[in-house]
Amino acid sequence: MSIEQFIDNEVKSNDVVLFMKGTPQFPQCGFSGQVVQILDHVGVGYKGLNVLESAELRNGIKEYSNWPTIPQLYVKGEFVGGCDIIREMFQAGELQQLFVDKGVTVNAAASA
């Protein structure tokens, strides 16, 4: 399986995927940490993939999305953005609405 096939499979078989530096439990960059905090606050389940474990994954995701930075968030197979975009969408209430529109289960208590 090529790295592009691996990424494509992860993005399409998980509702929410975060390509990040570190893990959701131990982010290893401030930007990845901010996105983890936002997703945890919203209360959405997601899969975190650590790009630091593989140079092939780190470079592959940048080519896959045509986006130069990490973290990268995908919802229902669609690239949403990096840290700044996710933060702005969250502050405007657009991220929460995106999850609702895409049919992604959100913990109501966390999003209130």
Side-chain angles (χ1 to χ4, degrees), residues 41-59:
H41 179 78
V42 170
V44 69
Y46 62 96
K47 180 171 187 177
L49 291 169
N50 183 359
V51 301
L52 297 178
E53 291 179 348
S54 161
E56 190 180 23
L57 179 60
R58 186 166 54 251
N59 295 325

